[in-house]
Amino acid sequence: MNKIAIVTDSNSGITQKMAKEMGVYVLPMPFFINGELFLEDISLSQEEFYKYLTEDADISTSQPSPKDLTDLWDQILKEYDEIVHIPMSSGLSASCQTAAAMAQDYDGKVQVVDNQQISVTLKESVRDAQKLVEQGKNAAQIKQILEEKKYRSSIYITLETLKYLKKGGRITPAAAAIGTILNLKPVLQIQGEKLDAYSKARGKNRAKAIMIDAMKKDLSSRFSKAAQEGKVKLMAAYTGNIEEAAEWQKLLESEFGTEIEMDPLSLSVACHIGYGALAVAAAECL
């Protein structure tokens, strides 16, 4: 049986320390801050990132260089026969397409999974891949199984501020100004390839209620069969405000009657939505 390694990127929320504990590899995502290159969880911590963000530093996301990618693969293949590489959603970054292109030179030894996941749902895909390795699946089979599940996840996110949507050109300055005056909180969704608008609410408590209601509807419709079989995992995420995140976690556990795993949202997402966001997610698991 082939020895298979699992690789993802730091958009999964898996830290370098967690990666060692799990027995997987995590490629750090690069950020340019005021023109200087930083690597997530290597030379850039969550705390440092939010400090730069609140200081209105010039922050831009990037993708790992092809050389960083192939250097990691080459090192891994000295010990393993195959690699399953699970990057963030191709709808949110070009890193997936880059990895797929580079993998063509590896004679099938590197299988790049494009299953449209990000943050906590990407982390769950890594866990699923590990289960499939334990079941004796090869890299190509794992890729196929994970990609068949690509739209079987759901994320809802609400924001503290409209500032970063305005900055990224997602809403106009006028809309941002009116929204701020009216205390409007958008609810965004990721149901596959990209981040889309879902709803908006007057105040964050109302936004939380909308997200809970949306997830309950998903569990009774899109995920009903898997939920009945106990194959849906609920998760939560946040950007920066850990105290508010703890309250959100308690509320979700009360509403859904189950333990909810809470993680920081990917910094690549946080860069576009800012400090104080809250999210709830579900993913069909194996």
Side-chain angles (χ1 to χ4, degrees), residues 6-120:
I6 308 299
V7 179
T8 187
D9 57 48
S10 56
N11 285 299
S12 63
I14 299 174
T15 65
Q16 297 297 323
K17 181 182 177 182
M18 288 167 58
K20 289 178 182 177
E21 294 170 352
M22 294 172 68
V24 302
Y25 296 85
V26 172
L27 193 66
M29 295 300 288
F31 290 80
F32 286 93
I33 302 178
N34 295 332
E36 184 179 351
L37 175 65
F38 292 85
L39 297 176
E40 185 171 359
D41 198 37
I42 301 290
S43 55
L44 180 67
S45 69
Q46 288 267 331
E47 293 77 17
E48 289 166 336
F49 172 83
Y50 287 110
K51 182 175 182 292
Y52 283 119
L53 196 69
T54 55
E55 291 172 352
D56 282 332
D58 181 18
I59 303 176
S60 60
T61 56
S62 186
Q63 59 174 304
S65 72
K67 185 178 186 303
D68 287 344
L69 187 62
T70 56
D71 282 353
L72 176 61
W73 289 349
D74 291 343
Q75 187 63 35
I76 292 171
L77 288 171
K78 292 177 181 178
E79 183 181 349
Y80 291 84
D81 301 305
E82 294 182 307
I83 292 171
V84 175
H85 183 88
I86 317 172
M88 71 182 289
S89 169
S90 61
L92 297 170
S93 169
S95 57
C96 186
Q97 291 93 324
T98 299
M102 303 308 296
Q104 292 177 11
D105 294 331
Y106 282 79
D107 299 321
K109 290 182 180 179
V110 178
Q111 297 289 329
V112 177
V113 177
D114 184 8
N115 67 336
Q116 310 295 353
Q117 305 302 317
I118 182 72
S119 191
V120 289

Side-chain angles (χ1 to χ4, degrees), residues 126-269:
V126 171
R127 288 172 171 156
D128 281 347
Q130 289 184 293
K131 292 175 186 175
L132 292 168
V133 169
E134 292 172 1
Q135 293 172 15
K137 305 294 185 186
N138 63 34
Q141 289 171 326
I142 294 171
K143 169 183 166 71
Q144 179 182 351
I145 292 168
L146 293 182
E147 289 186 348
E148 285 172 353
K149 294 167 74 260
K150 69 166 56 177
Y151 296 118
R152 297 175 192 170
S153 66
S154 185
I155 302 176
Y156 295 97
I157 308 169
T158 192
L159 314 185
E160 181 63 37
T161 174
L162 298 172
K163 174 180 176 179
Y164 299 93
L165 292 184
K166 180 185 76 172
K167 192 174 180 180
R170 288 184 175 269
I171 60 173
T172 66
I178 293 170
T180 300
I181 292 169
L182 296 177
N183 193 27
L184 291 180
K185 305 296 183 186
V187 176
L188 309 177
Q189 63 178 341
I190 302 175
Q191 303 278 355
E193 295 181 6
K194 56 187 178 179
L195 192 67
D196 291 311
Y198 175 76
S199 183
K200 56 181 178 288
R202 292 286 293 269
K204 211 165 187 182
N205 285 337
R206 178 57 188 150
K208 291 177 186 177
I210 288 172
M211 291 196 294
I212 289 169
D213 184 56
M215 186 56 71
K216 285 181 177 179
K217 287 178 180 176
D218 282 349
L219 292 174
S220 64
S221 56
R222 292 179 59 208
F223 301 123
S224 60
K225 185 174 183 296
Q228 289 170 7
E229 295 171 353
K231 292 183 177 180
V232 174
K233 182 168 183 178
L234 285 171
M235 299 156 282
Y238 67 100
T239 60
N241 191 336
I242 194 166
E243 291 82 10
E244 187 181 30
E247 294 174 4
W248 176 231
Q249 183 180 21
K250 287 181 182 177
L251 176 59
L252 291 174
E253 289 178 340
S254 172
E255 288 285 342
F256 293 97
T258 185
E259 288 188 9
I260 304 284
E261 183 176 358
M262 173 69 74
D263 279 331
L265 263 171
S266 152
L267 294 186
S268 292
V269 175

